[in-house]
């Protein structure tokens, strides 16, 4: 954070150094370190639980589903922590290049994640209607509805097309070596199952709201007629 370059430098600290505010740059350094530690801990927590869930559903090796007596997914935590030393790559001469690739990979995974979320929302709505339910039964509805999810998928597909286009035909020209071109692609398939038909999607497992259309209408009407301060509180702090 001090005296570094590229990914190793903090713009906040540099700005405070130039402003000649004594001590505040160290305070920002401490704040950034605590924030990074917090993000690391939350990432280990989320990553290990995700890996355990994948193992329980058959999309990852079975031993990752092991949970010890303290309800900790032990092997998933260990596997997640094995990637922690990648942070020290940034101290190498090629650290900036590696950091750029890691950020690009994480960004690409985020695109696929949100695309899956939008697709799941679309198929959920289709299954919900196909199996005889009304949209009014849903206690929460997305702001843009199904069309918002379709719009999100289209945007994400356009981003992927642009990314792959730049990868195949990079700015400045493509390499003449076909091996180098082929190395830009990779695919690892662990398990593939066909998506379920709309009529076969399970809409009841984990469902928390079983209100009918009439009950949902009465519930929304009671919330609509609540005092102004109650509606403001619900808007800010609840749902």
């Amino acid at each position: 954070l001090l005296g570094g370059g590229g990914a190793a430098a903090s713009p906040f600290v540099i700005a405070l150094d130039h402003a000649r505010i004594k001590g505040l740059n160290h305070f920002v350094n401490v704040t950034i370190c605590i924030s990074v530690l917090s993000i690391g801990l939350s990432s280990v927590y989320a990553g290990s639980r995700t890996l355990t869930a994948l193992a329980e559903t058959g999309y990852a090796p079975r031993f990752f589903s092991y949970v010890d007596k303290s309800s900790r997914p032990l092997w998933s935590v260990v596997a997640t922590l094995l990637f922690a030393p990648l942070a020290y790559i940034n101290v190498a001469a090629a650290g900036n290049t590696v950091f750029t690739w890691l950020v690009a990979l994480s960004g690409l995974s985020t695109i696929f994640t949100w695309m899956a979320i939008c697709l799941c929302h679309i198929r959920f709505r289709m299954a919900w209607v196909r199996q005889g339910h009304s949209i009014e039964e849903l206690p929460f509805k997305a702001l843009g509805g199904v069309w918002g999810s379709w719009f999100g998928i289209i945007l994400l597909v356009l981003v992927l097309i642009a990314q792959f286009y730049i990868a195949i035909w990079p700015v400045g020209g493509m390499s003449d070596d076909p091996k180098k071109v082929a190395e830009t692609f990779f695919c690892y398939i662990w398990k593939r199952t066909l998506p379920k038909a709309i009529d076969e999607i399970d809409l009841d497992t984990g469902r928390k709201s079983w209100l009918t259309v009439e009950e949902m209408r009465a519930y929304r009407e009671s919330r609509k007629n609540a005092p102004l301060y109650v509606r403001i509180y619900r808007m800010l702090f609840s749902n």
Side-chain angles (χ1 to χ4, degrees), residues 130-161:
R130 180 73 65 84
Q131 296 183 26
H133 295 282
S134 171
I135 300 299
E136 294 188 58
E137 295 180 54
L138 298 175
F140 306 102
K141 290 182 286 186
L143 182 62
V146 175
W147 293 110
S149 295
W150 277 116
F151 181 69
I153 288 179
I154 292 173
L155 287 181
L156 293 172
V157 169
L158 292 177
V159 171
L160 286 177
I161 292 174

Side-chain angles (χ1 to χ4, degrees), residues 128 132-141 207 209-214 216-217 220:
W128 188 260
H133 295 282
S134 171
I135 300 299
E136 294 188 58
E137 295 180 54
L138 298 175
F140 306 102
K141 290 182 286 186
R207 182 177 171 186
S209 175
W210 294 88
L211 299 179
T212 62
V213 175
E214 292 74 16
M216 285 302 302
R217 289 175 179 172
R220 291 194 174 99

Side-chain angles (χ1 to χ4, degrees), residues 29 66 75 104 106 131 133 164 184 203 215-216 233 235:
N29 267 329
Y66 170 75
W75 295 117
S106 61
Q131 296 183 26
H133 295 282
F164 279 108
T184 59
L203 299 175
E215 291 171 335
M216 285 302 302
Y233 175 83
M235 180 179 64

Side-chain angles (χ1 to χ4, degrees), residues 86 98-112 186:
L86 288 175
V98 177
F99 181 80
T100 302
W101 275 97
L102 290 177
V103 171
L105 288 174
S106 61
L108 186 63
S109 65
T110 303
I111 292 175
F112 282 107
F186 65 92

